[in-house]
């Protein structure tokens, strides 16, 4: 089996972890943590879990539940081997799909006030993300084998939220100043390379 899986595959393996996870648990974890570190819905995570099971990286079994049977996924030896190999690879800077940064970059093509309003909307999301951090930090105490890693991961999430708050303040101050409203350049600048 190839250990060259997609990034979302490794995220699903991480969610399954050492204790396994049911389909609904995977969907819940992906949905709740998604705003902090990952894009993609719970249904996508469940689809990837099924693909990993079909490829032999996860085992799937059916268990009774309250309303209907549920599928529980567990890592196979091949899944453990692939995940350990991935953990040992050098980490790289994350690729960020950052719509607010693109809006700012191209703000000369539209209405600067509309861009500021867009960034203010992003600022309004930040307290909800901090609340998600608080919730996960509280839950981390119930996962002793991952508590320390989760708390450290949340430290990064909190810093990212704060960095966005400070960045929005800086952009708002700069774009709201009278100097920022000068004439538009004749030719748009090249994209950062």
């Amino acid at each position: 089996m190839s250990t060259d899986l997609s990034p979302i595959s490794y995220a699903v393996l991480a969610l399954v972890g050492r204790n396994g996870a049911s389909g609904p648990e995977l969907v819940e974890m992906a949905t709740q943590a998604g705003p902090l570190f990952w894009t993609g819905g719970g249904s996508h995570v469940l689809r990837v879990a099924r693909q990993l099971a079909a490829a032999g990286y996860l085992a799937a079994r059916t268990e009774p539940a309250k309303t209907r049977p549920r599928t529980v996924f567990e890592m196979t030896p091949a899944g453990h081997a692939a995940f350990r190999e991935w953990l040992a690879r050098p980490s790289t800077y994350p690729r960020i799909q950052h719509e607010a940064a693109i809006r700012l970059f191209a703000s000369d093509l539209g209405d600067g006030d509309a861009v500021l309003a867009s960034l203010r909307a992003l600022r309004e999301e930040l307290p909800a993300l901090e609340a998600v951090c608080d919730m996960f930090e509280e839950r981390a105490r119930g996962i002793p084998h991952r508590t320390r890693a989760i708390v450290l991961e949340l430290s990064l999430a909190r810093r990212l939220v704060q960095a966005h708050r400070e960045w929005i303040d800086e952009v708002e101050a700069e774009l709201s100043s009278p100097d920022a409203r000068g004439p538009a350049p004749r030719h748009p600048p090249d994209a950062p390379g």
Side-chain angles (χ1 to χ4, degrees):
M1 276 185 238
S2 167
T3 58
D4 191 25
L5 300 172
S6 68
I8 186 72
S9 296
Y10 293 110
V12 171
L13 289 171
L15 291 174
V16 169
R18 68 171 65 182
N19 295 328
S22 69
E25 289 169 333
L26 289 174
V27 169
E28 179 185 6
M29 287 186 283
T31 302
Q32 291 179 344
L36 295 175
F37 291 111
W38 206 265
T39 60
S43 61
H44 182 71
V45 166
L46 197 52
R47 186 170 49 254
V48 171
R50 290 183 186 123
Q51 292 168 350
L52 290 168
Y57 294 105
L58 293 176
R61 69 177 190 283
T62 303
E63 288 185 352
K66 290 181 182 177
T67 57
R68 60 186 181 138
R70 66 181 183 164
T71 301
V72 176
F73 297 95
E74 292 182 328
M75 235 188 282
T76 64
H80 276 282
F83 199 74
R84 281 192 302 269
E85 187 271 330
W86 176 79
L87 282 172
R89 291 182 196 168
S91 293
T92 60
Y93 192 81
R95 292 176 209 127
I96 300 172
Q97 181 179 324
H98 202 301
E99 290 182 14
I102 299 300
R103 283 187 174 97
L104 175 62
F105 172 73
S107 60
D108 65 301
L109 299 174
D111 180 3
D113 291 335
V115 172
L116 285 175
S118 172
L119 293 178
R120 289 178 184 127
L122 171 57
R123 182 191 285 129
E124 292 172 10
E125 288 183 34
L126 300 179
L129 293 173
E130 289 168 325
V132 170
C133 289
D134 293 342
M135 177 195 66
F136 277 111
E137 191 160 348
E138 183 64 32
R139 286 186 179 182
R141 291 181 179 87
I143 312 169
H145 61 280
R146 286 198 171 165
T147 301
R148 182 172 52 173
I150 292 170
V151 170
L152 289 169
E153 183 181 54
L154 291 172
S155 172
L156 173 61
R158 291 178 196 282
R159 290 174 190 198
L160 291 171
V161 169
Q162 183 59 29
H164 277 83
R165 183 175 285 116
E166 292 169 4
W167 176 70
I168 293 166
D169 290 345
E170 177 184 2
V171 170
E172 187 174 43
E174 183 65 29
L175 293 186
S176 297
S177 73
D179 295 339
R181 306 214 183 262
R186 292 174 61 74
H187 300 286
D190 292 334

